[in-house]
Amino acid sequence: MPQNGAPETAANGLLERLLTFIPSDTSPEQRAMIEAFAATYIRRIPETDIPDLPPEQLYAEIEDLLRFVDARGTRDQAVRVFKPTLEDCGYTTVGSVVQLVVDDMPFLVDSVANVVIRSGAGIERHLHPLIGTSRDPDGSLVAIASARTSPTTESVQHFELDRELSSEEEAELADAIEGTLNDVLVSVRDFDAMRAAVSEMIAVAKASVVQYGFEEIEETVDFLEWLLDDNFVFLGYKVYDIGEDDGELHIQSRKGSGLGILSRNGPALKPIPISDLPNYVTDRYFGGDLVVITKTNRHATVHRDARMDYIGVRQTNEEGRTETEFRMVGLFTSKAYMATASEIPVLRRKLARILDEQDLIEGSHDYKTLVQLFESFPKDDLFAMSVDDLSDTLSHLVEAEESEHVRMFVRRDSLKRSVSVLVTVPRDRFNASLRQQLQQLFKDSFGGKSIDYRLSLGESGDARIHFSVWTEGGPPVEVDLAELEAKVHALARNWEDRVIDALIDVVGESEANR
């Protein structure tokens, strides 16, 4: 019968059946742990899956997993990837199984799931119960209780994959998960310290009156404070100094300044001569805005699988050369992406400058169109684009809003790591097939290793597809933009012709069937 008068459910009935498999000679303490763990574990199983689960094997799975949790001992984490068999584990699955146990902390479920997905295997089932635990000084489990009322909680995760991994794949996946767990650990550990580091960046910005104007300093300070309002997931921080030795400038990370994923101390990093860096990197240290906002080549291992956001504040000398860079990496949150772009510090200043440069009167048609276009732009592009590039692109888009033309706009990342391509097409010409063809065209043309896209729909009937082509190993290939735009027009025209042909065929069949 269900305990404590709980209503009868498939999970309650399953738990009653599972408990009958506990051996009669099990100690009261061990029996209590099995019962508590089983109740928490099956609560995560969808009710629709319960009828398909053989109780004997499910009990063996729970008992085997509990032994694994117990065996964690005093280690920071325990991870295993294996193929369970009836002989060894008492249960079997279609594919390999991934299991881990670690102290509970933010970002665990999403971060580990992303690693498993990147392995190329599909996830058939993912259970992630939280348990309250008590362990003795040797790390052995003493008791399991409710996570809500326990001072110590542990996250247990169990993945069942849709195929069996090779031994090499299992080892690689286990290593990748352990690396991700370490990144989560240091990011959470240094969370408060990284927020405090933002205060250091703010102090640097406020002291930059020699090189920068009051308005830019104020916007930079407001932006950094905006980050602290749940608009940024802080993952790493480090300070880089630029010094002079024998008349040559060098850059070197400041010892002990690293936090989060940038805190690990590898081999001593020797100063790197500025002259050895590509021109597009050195340009950052000899001019530019007070704050640099861009994307890194490296994907985040914490929270979500996306390229990390890079925020750097420059401390300059009287000649305008950067002496120190205060660098933060992480991810803008969903709250940040949902915010109105024209109200975000730094972006609102860009918009104000563009409206001023184009001499647009508030309330006019072009004013409202440009603001709407600005709001529809991906925020990553708004942060990365210069005011001049953004103003030029928006002015052309305002013109395109008045006509049903295919247009292409190309912008190269200032660090020569990627190319952004914006294509506008009449909405009736757009579909997933055209987008896929454009993706392949841009990836091949610029020598990209990967490509991301975002779609936005204009109010006047156009579709705008923003592509980001990442080379990840060198600057993008130089291409003839006129020739590339001709190919874009050809793809859009061919798609329109296919639609017209299909409509003619449909009409012809309809006439023939009359």
Side-chain angles (χ1 to χ4, degrees):
M1 294 292 293
Q3 296 179 354
N4 302 324
E8 181 67 47
T9 64
N12 284 332
L14 176 59
L15 179 59
E16 293 296 320
R17 293 195 299 274
L18 291 178
L19 298 184
T20 65
F21 294 104
I22 301 177
S24 58
D25 59 351
T26 302
S27 68
E29 295 80 11
Q30 186 67 20
R31 175 181 289 273
M33 282 198 293
I34 295 173
E35 290 180 357
F37 185 69
T40 302
Y41 189 72
I42 66 173
R43 195 179 299 130
R44 296 287 182 175
I45 301 175
E47 295 239 340
T48 53
D49 290 355
I50 288 177
D52 300 326
L53 297 173
E56 299 91 341
Q57 289 201 35
L58 180 58
Y59 175 79
E61 176 184 313
I62 291 171
E63 190 178 46
D64 183 67
L65 179 55
L66 184 57
R67 284 195 296 268
F68 173 67
V69 173
D70 184 26
R72 175 198 173 187
T74 58
R75 291 177 291 167
D76 288 338
Q77 62 207 32
V79 179
R80 66 174 176 175
V81 184
F82 65 107
K83 178 62 172 71
T85 63
L86 289 172
E87 295 75 18
D88 294 335
C89 304
Y91 74 102
T92 188
T93 55
V94 172
S96 294
V97 165
V98 179
Q99 293 177 339
L100 63 106
V101 56
V102 63
D103 286 351
D104 183 42
M105 63 188 79
F107 308 129
L108 283 175
V109 173
D110 291 343
S111 300
V112 177
N114 287 333
V115 182
V116 177
I117 291 170
R118 286 197 298 270
S119 72
I123 300 174
E124 291 291 310
R125 180 176 290 121
H126 179 198
L127 306 178
H128 43 89
L130 287 179
I131 57 174
T133 59
S134 296
R135 294 179 181 267
D136 65 20
D138 294 328
S140 298
L141 276 175
V142 174
I144 292 178
S146 167
R148 290 173 61 89
T149 59
S150 297
T152 302
T153 56
E154 300 184 33
S155 173
V156 180
Q157 296 194 44
H158 171 92
F159 295 83
E160 295 177 19
L161 308 185
D162 63 356
R163 67 180 178 87
E164 184 175 354
L165 304 180
S166 68
S167 57
E168 291 80 8
E169 289 176 316
E170 289 179 349
E172 289 176 2
L173 180 54
D175 287 344
I177 291 173
E178 289 183 353
T180 290
L181 292 176
N182 288 332
D183 285 348
V184 172
L185 176 63
V186 296
S187 299
V188 173
R189 179 198 67 194
D190 291 344
F191 174 76
D192 290 336
M194 286 187 282
R195 285 180 62 88
V198 175
S199 298
E200 181 180 19
M201 298 168 79
I202 289 173
V204 170
K206 288 180 176 180
S208 300
V209 292
V210 174
Q211 186 67 24
Y212 298 98
F214 173 77
E215 185 180 353
E216 183 170 358
I217 292 173
E218 184 179 41
E219 277 294 283
T220 298
V221 170
D222 286 350
F223 172 75
L224 294 171
E225 291 176 343
W226 176 81
L227 295 179
L228 295 172
D229 188 22
D230 296 328
N231 288 303
F232 199 72
V233 177
F234 300 98
L235 299 181
Y237 174 80
K238 187 169 280 191
V239 179
Y240 294 84
D241 294 313
I242 299 176
E244 188 172 349
D245 185 19
D246 293 332
E248 186 171 23
L249 294 175
H250 296 77
I251 182 171
Q252 185 176 27
S253 60
R254 184 179 296 178
K255 186 177 180 180
S257 67
L259 297 170
I261 63 172
L262 299 182
S263 64
R264 296 189 180 91
N265 295 317
L269 188 63
K270 295 181 179 179
I272 300 174
I274 292 289
S275 58
D276 288 353
L277 300 175
N279 290 336
Y280 57 83
V281 175
T282 60
D283 287 347
R284 285 168 43 206
Y285 300 110
F286 293 95
D289 296 333
L290 174 57
V291 61
V292 178
I293 308 166
T294 186
K295 287 285 185 182
T296 70
N297 275 336
R298 179 180 171 185
H299 278 241
T301 56
V302 179
H303 185 39
R304 68 175 186 266
D305 185 13
R307 285 182 173 83
M308 289 188 293
D309 296 292
Y310 169 114
I311 298 168
V313 172
R314 306 186 318 125
Q315 186 176 54
T316 61
N317 59 19
E318 294 183 357
E319 288 74 39
R321 175 179 66 78
T322 302
E323 292 184 321
T324 306
E325 182 187 35
F326 300 80
R327 182 181 305 176
M328 185 75 73
V329 296
L331 295 167
F332 287 114
T333 64
S334 57
K335 178 187 174 184
Y337 283 114
M338 291 173 63
T340 302
S342 56
E343 296 177 356
I344 297 175
V346 174
L347 298 188
R348 67 190 179 194
R349 180 169 182 257
K350 285 186 176 182
L351 177 59
R353 291 175 62 186
I354 292 168
L355 292 170
D356 183 61
E357 287 178 6
Q358 298 195 18
D359 196 24
L360 297 181
I361 300 174
E362 185 173 358
S364 67
H365 173 78
D366 284 356
Y367 180 100
K368 290 188 288 187
T369 300
L370 188 143
V371 172
Q372 184 270 325
L373 288 168
F374 183 88
E375 292 291 355
S376 70
F377 250 64
K379 289 187 175 65
D380 293 335
D381 286 347
L382 292 178
F383 280 124
M385 293 177 73
S386 68
V387 171
D388 290 341
D389 287 344
L390 191 53
S391 179
D392 183 62
T393 300
L394 289 172
S395 65
H396 284 96
L397 286 176
V398 170
E399 296 172 7
E401 286 276 298
E402 305 299 329
S403 62
E404 294 191 352
H405 293 157
V406 176
R407 300 292 300 272
M408 182 189 78
F409 306 90
V410 176
R411 178 184 63 84
R412 290 175 178 268
D413 171 52
S414 61
L415 299 183
K416 302 295 190 296
R417 302 166 307 179
S418 66
V419 175
S420 294
V421 185
L422 169 61
V423 176
T424 67
V425 296
R427 196 178 303 184
D428 57 3
R429 293 197 205 180
F430 173 78
N431 83 333
S433 177
L434 175 60
R435 186 262 302 164
Q436 291 167 357
Q437 292 178 65
L438 291 173
Q439 274 185 262
Q440 195 61 49
L441 171 64
F442 298 140
K443 186 177 179 181
D444 293 342
S445 298
F446 291 105
K449 298 297 183 184
S450 62
I451 183 167
D452 308 321
Y453 80 93
R454 297 178 185 84
L455 171 67
S456 57
L457 301 176
E459 292 184 351
S460 61
D462 66 325
R464 296 188 293 276
I465 316 104
H466 302 255
F467 299 93
S468 296
V469 187
W470 295 85
T471 53
E472 300 177 9
V477 174
E478 295 290 339
V479 301
D480 185 324
L481 294 183
E483 181 179 333
L484 182 62
E485 187 165 18
K487 292 179 180 179
V488 171
H489 279 268
L491 286 175
R493 187 167 54 250
N494 288 342
W495 170 249
E496 184 179 33
D497 291 343
R498 286 198 296 273
V499 171
I500 293 173
D501 290 343
L503 289 173
I504 292 174
D505 290 342
V506 170
V507 172
E509 288 183 12
S510 176
E511 293 290 337
N513 291 330
R514 283 187 175 183

